[in-house]
Amino acid sequence: MKLALDPSMYRDDLTLEEMVYKTAELGYEYIELSPREDFCPFYKYPKVDSAKIKQLKRLLRDTGVKLSSLLPLYHWAGPEEDRRQAAVRNWKRAIEIAVELEVDLMNSEFSGSKYDPLTSEEKFIKSMDELLPVFEKEGIKLNLQAHPYDFIETHKGAMDMIRALDRDWINLVYSTAHTFFYDDGKGDIATMFDEAGDRLTHVLFA
């Protein structure tokens, strides 16, 4: 088991270098690298070149901190086709970055619209048809989480979609902070964990 810090609370105040050193100072061995404007921003094309990747790898070596995962977030299930195509381009670049960073796990969300769930599901599957071969070629695993106001908000919905994709390298992220959405406010985490079984590979605490 890896205990990793998602340093999102520092993304607006600390440089990339300061963030890595802060993580080490706090005693964490691993970072989950979530969206930053100077790296892989929310919904935008990644803003990182080979020099910045080398810089990050050097910082990690210097501090002894490792990357557990990369967390990109793009509108790959957005109902607008132009936005969906842009998201697929963003994902392909983010996968390249993960490979260069020697990270074999990416975590994300379904990233569609609660208000147009059918179209969002269709767009998500279309994006996955394009990206599954890329993930498989590069040996990158993927974990997905349901999220409030996404087209999949519930634990059952997330598990149904993960099973529908039918890849042993696509599994579940469970966010404890969103439990009240996942099971209509019952708070029955144990039942959801049992139901997910081996598909539960990443848990978020807030």
Side-chain angles (χ1 to χ4, degrees):
M1 183 179 73
K2 296 176 181 177
L3 183 62
L5 176 70
D6 173 353
S8 57
M9 69 289 291
Y10 299 122
R11 68 175 163 238
D12 297 328
D13 301 315
L14 299 184
T15 65
L16 190 67
E17 179 175 5
E18 290 168 339
M19 178 271 290
V20 174
Y21 275 94
K22 184 66 173 179
T23 302
E25 178 189 327
L26 292 171
Y28 285 90
E29 185 180 356
Y30 292 97
I31 293 173
E32 170 162 82
L33 190 56
S34 55
R36 295 177 52 95
E37 280 297 316
D38 61 355
F39 211 86
C40 290
F42 283 103
Y43 308 118
K44 303 174 188 173
Y45 193 76
K47 304 299 191 293
V48 54
D49 58 8
S50 57
K52 186 170 285 188
I53 290 170
K54 288 177 182 176
Q55 177 199 17
L56 177 56
K57 293 175 81 169
R58 177 182 55 77
L59 291 167
L60 295 170
R61 285 194 303 271
D62 290 349
T63 58
V65 176
K66 306 178 185 72
L67 292 182
S68 65
S69 45
L70 187 64
L71 194 166
L73 201 58
Y74 305 122
H75 287 298
W76 56 352
E80 298 175 11
E81 178 60 16
D82 286 349
R83 181 68 57 82
R84 187 202 69 80
Q85 290 178 20
V88 168
R89 286 194 296 272
N90 296 348
W91 262 108
K92 288 178 178 177
R93 177 58 184 143
I95 292 169
E96 290 177 354
I97 292 166
V99 170
E100 291 185 61
L101 288 170
E102 301 173 59
V103 174
D104 67 353
L105 174 63
M106 302 177 84
N107 295 319
S108 195
E109 301 168 10
F110 293 98
S111 291
S113 170
K114 172 179 181 171
Y115 304 104
D116 194 354
L118 181 57
T119 303
S120 293
E121 178 172 314
E122 291 168 351
K123 298 292 188 180
F124 176 73
I125 296 300
K126 186 174 183 179
S127 295
M128 293 305 291
D129 284 344
E130 295 180 47
L131 290 168
L132 287 173
V134 184
F135 280 106
E136 290 178 334
K137 175 179 178 289
E138 300 297 353
I140 303 290
K141 300 185 292 290
L142 176 67
N143 291 331
L144 296 167
Q145 70 158 309
H147 197 279
Y149 303 104
D150 204 338
F151 81 97
I152 296 178
E153 294 182 294
T154 66
H155 172 76
K156 182 181 183 304
M159 289 306 305
D160 285 348
M161 182 58 74
I162 287 167
R163 291 192 172 109
L165 294 170
D166 198 21
R167 300 293 198 282
D168 60 8
W169 50 269
I170 301 179
N171 289 293
L172 179 71
V173 174
Y174 188 99
S175 173
T176 56
H178 297 148
T179 294
F180 68 98
F181 263 85
Y182 290 164
D183 66 348
D184 298 322
K186 299 186 183 91
D188 190 1
I189 292 177
T191 297
M192 288 186 279
F193 277 21
D194 288 344
E195 195 274 334
D198 291 343
R199 291 290 195 177
L200 175 63
T201 58
H202 199 92
V203 180
L204 303 178
F205 296 92

